[in-house]
C-alpha cells in the first residue's frame, strides 16, 4: 500500500476518534489472587472473580522446600493433603500472572505490622498534621 494513502487513512481515523483502535496507548490487566478456602483447598482466581482454570500451584514448607505441586480443577481450586506442612502457595497461570499466599497463622506478627491499618493511617495523618503545625507556628513567629 502506498505510504501516502496509509498516512491519510491514519489521519482520518484519528480525526474520527477511532485512532486508539489502531494504536492503543494503554492496556488493561487484572491480577491473580490465591486464597485458602478451607484447610486442604486453595482457590486461585483473578480479581474480577473469574477462576484461573489453567494455573499450576506449588506448595512450600517453612524451609522453602516444595511439598506439593499440581494444577487447579475447573473451579480454580487446588486440593492438597491437609497433613503436609503447607506454609506458602505460589500459583502461576503461564500467561504472566503469578500470585503468592503465605499462611500467617504460623508466622508471628511484630512491630508496626501488628497494628491495624486504620490505626496506622490515623497515626500517619496525625504526624503530618503535627509537622505542618510546627511549620505554621514557626512561620507566624
Amino acid at each position: 500500500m502506498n505510504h501516502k494513502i496509509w498516512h491519510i487513512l491514519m489521519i482520518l481515523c484519528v480525526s474520527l476518534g477511532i485512532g486508539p483502535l489502531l494504536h492503543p496507548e494503554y492496556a488493561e490487566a487484572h491480577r491473580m489472587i490465591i486464597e485458602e478456602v478451607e484447610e486442604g483447598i486453595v482457590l486461585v482466581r483473578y480479581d474480577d472473580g473469574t477462576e484461573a482454570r489453567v494455573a499450576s500451584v506449588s506448595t512450600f514448607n517453612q524451609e522453602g522446600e516444595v511439598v506439593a505441586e499440581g494444577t487447579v480443577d475447573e473451579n480454580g481450586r487446588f486440593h492438597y493433603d491437609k497433613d503436609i506442612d503447607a506454609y506458602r502457595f505460589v500459583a502461576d497461570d503461564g500467561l504472566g500472572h503469578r500470585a503468592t499466599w503465605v499462611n500467617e497463622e504460623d508466622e508471628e506478627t511484630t512491630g508496626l505490622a501488628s497494628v491495624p491499618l486504620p490505626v496506622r493511617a490515623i497515626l500517619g495523618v496525625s504526624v503530618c498534621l503535627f509537622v505542618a503545625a510546627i511549620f505554621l507556628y514557626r512561620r507566624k513567629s
Side-chain angles (χ1 to χ4, degrees):
M1 181 183 275
N2 190 347
H3 289 289
K4 290 181 182 179
I5 295 173
W6 179 250
H7 289 288
I8 291 171
L9 284 174
M10 289 293 289
I11 292 170
L12 182 63
C13 288
V14 170
S15 64
L16 292 175
I18 58 174
L21 295 176
L22 300 174
H23 190 294
E25 295 180 9
Y26 68 94
E28 292 185 23
H30 52 263
R31 65 184 179 114
M32 181 186 287
I33 299 170
I34 184 169
E35 58 192 350
E36 188 173 38
V37 178
E38 60 185 66
E39 191 175 0
I41 302 174
V42 292
L43 173 65
V44 182
R45 63 178 177 84
Y46 299 105
D47 63 357
D48 64 357
T50 59
E51 298 86 12
R53 297 180 180 159
V54 295
S56 61
V57 179
S58 299
T59 307
F60 299 87
N61 61 14
Q62 284 189 316
E63 289 77 35
E65 301 166 341
V66 176
V67 292
E69 286 183 306
T71 57
V72 297
D73 62 13
E74 64 276 352
N75 297 320
R77 296 175 185 267
F78 173 70
H79 300 268
Y80 65 95
D81 185 11
K82 296 177 188 178
D83 296 329
I84 64 172
D85 181 25
Y87 175 70
R88 182 171 56 103
F89 297 91
V90 177
D92 191 336
D93 68 355
L95 303 171
H97 298 98
R98 187 178 175 103
T100 302
W101 182 81
V102 177
N103 185 357
E104 294 185 14
E105 292 175 0
D106 298 338
E107 196 173 277
E108 204 173 298
T109 308
T110 59
L112 214 66
S114 63
V115 179
L117 182 61
V119 174
R120 285 186 283 168
I122 291 171
L123 180 64
V125 170
S126 299
V127 168
C128 291
L129 289 174
F130 180 73
V131 170
I134 289 174
F135 280 106
L136 183 63
Y137 175 75
R138 289 189 66 196
R139 185 173 155 209
K140 288 185 178 183
S141 309

